[in-house]
Structures are given as structure tokens and as C-alpha cells.
Amino acid sequence: VAADPNAEDAIVNMALALVELGRLGEALDACHRALELVPTDALAWVSKGVVLERMGRVEEALEACDRAIAIDPNHALAWHNRGVRLGAKGRVSEALTAFERSLSLDPTDALTWTNHAKALMQSQRLDEALAAADRAVTLSPLNSGAWQAKAIVLKKLQRIDESLDAFDRAVE
């Protein structure tokens, strides 16, 4: 970023790296800088939402997702993150709608399938949750979160032996 302080993509990537380092204030400043340069960059809005969520500012994070979607209604990650934020607020039905929209745009995203499965579980739609978790582990067989989601739904379905097998896969 020092070589080209107006390199908006680099600023967004720097913000995400700062999030990983736990330097949230600096990450938010970087997002603001990127959005000053290109206010219509959906990914910059998504990134700002990630930072705000990590700061515990869930409502503002949701607003950032909504801004990204307003800019690019086909931004799968924005829809995914909207689902996560809505789920965190207990708005499960809306979260499911967001996950379904994200999956319609990118049906290969294992994380979205995993989160969709969790939201379906919250809605007591266990057979659908299992199908979503199965899709997640098919797409990403080494993803422990996907295996854990599958194990939990199997447990809720009283399929205990299969649940234990899935928990074993989650911790491998």
C-alpha cells in the first residue's frame, strides 16, 4: 500500500490481514480508506462488515452487508455474511433466505452449506440440515466445521453411531 496509497484492492486485503492480527481499529480505518477511494466496491463493504462483526457491532456489520448487496445483488459472500449476521441476531428465517441466495450464486461454497445446515437445525428442519451438512462435507472433506455440523444434526436425529463417526472426522 505504501507504493500506491490509492491501491484500493490492496487496502481491502490489508484490512483483512489486520483483522487476523486482531488489530481491529486499524482494519476498520483501512476499510474506510478503501471506501473513500471506491465507495461502490462491494468487497470493501463486505470486509467492513467482517471487521464490525469482530468488534461486536453486529447491527452495523449487517448494514455493511446490505450496502454490499445494494451495490452487487449477486455477491455471494455478501449474502453469506448477511445470513451469519442475521443468525447471530436470532433472525433465523431471514438468515436461511440469505444463505439460500448465497448458495444460488455459489453452490460450491462449503462454509455457506455448513452455516445453512446450522440455521436449518435451529428451525428444526433436521432432514434438510443433514442434506446441507452432507453437501458441505462432500465439497470440503477436511473441513472440521462441516463434519461437526453433520455430527450435531445426526445426534439430533438420534443417529448416535453415525454422529460419533462424524465427530471423529471433525477432530481428525
Side-chain angles (χ1 to χ4, degrees):
V1 177
D4 181 0
N6 295 323
E8 177 264 341
D9 286 341
I11 296 170
V12 169
N13 287 320
M14 181 177 71
L16 294 174
L18 288 165
V19 167
E20 295 305 314
L21 294 172
R23 294 163 54 183
L24 301 178
E26 291 173 77
L28 187 58
D29 289 343
C31 289
H32 287 150
R33 186 168 162 206
L35 288 165
E36 285 172 9
L37 295 171
V38 185
T40 58
D41 182 348
L43 183 58
W45 281 105
V46 169
S47 300
K48 181 178 179 179
V50 169
V51 175
L52 289 166
E53 182 181 37
R54 294 277 179 96
M55 296 175 103
R57 295 161 59 179
V58 177
E59 190 61 41
E60 291 173 85
L62 182 56
E63 290 169 11
C65 287
D66 289 342
R67 290 287 299 267
I69 291 166
I71 293 164
D72 181 0
N74 295 318
H75 200 289
L77 182 58
W79 282 103
H80 170 265
N81 287 0
R82 185 174 201 278
V84 170
R85 309 242 158 68
L86 288 166
K89 294 176 67 62
R91 294 163 55 184
V92 179
S93 178
E94 292 171 87
L96 284 167
T97 299
F99 290 134
E100 288 160 9
R101 176 70 173 136
S102 179
L103 290 167
S104 76
L105 296 167
D106 182 4
T108 65
D109 185 24
L111 182 58
T112 304
W113 281 108
T114 300
N115 286 324
H116 188 232
K118 291 175 183 178
L120 287 164
M121 276 190 276
Q122 287 181 288
S123 296
Q124 299 305 312
R125 294 164 56 184
L126 300 181
D127 291 332
E128 292 172 82
L130 181 57
D134 278 336
R135 184 76 174 130
V137 297
T138 298
L139 289 167
S140 185
L142 300 178
N143 183 324
S144 65
W147 281 105
Q148 186 172 354
K150 182 174 179 169
I152 292 168
V153 74
L154 285 165
K155 182 179 176 214
K156 287 178 180 278
L157 288 166
Q158 299 300 309
R159 293 166 58 178
I160 304 303
D161 288 339
E162 292 172 88
S163 175
L164 290 172
D165 289 342
F167 275 122
D168 282 342
R169 294 290 302 266
V171 298
E172 282 181 351

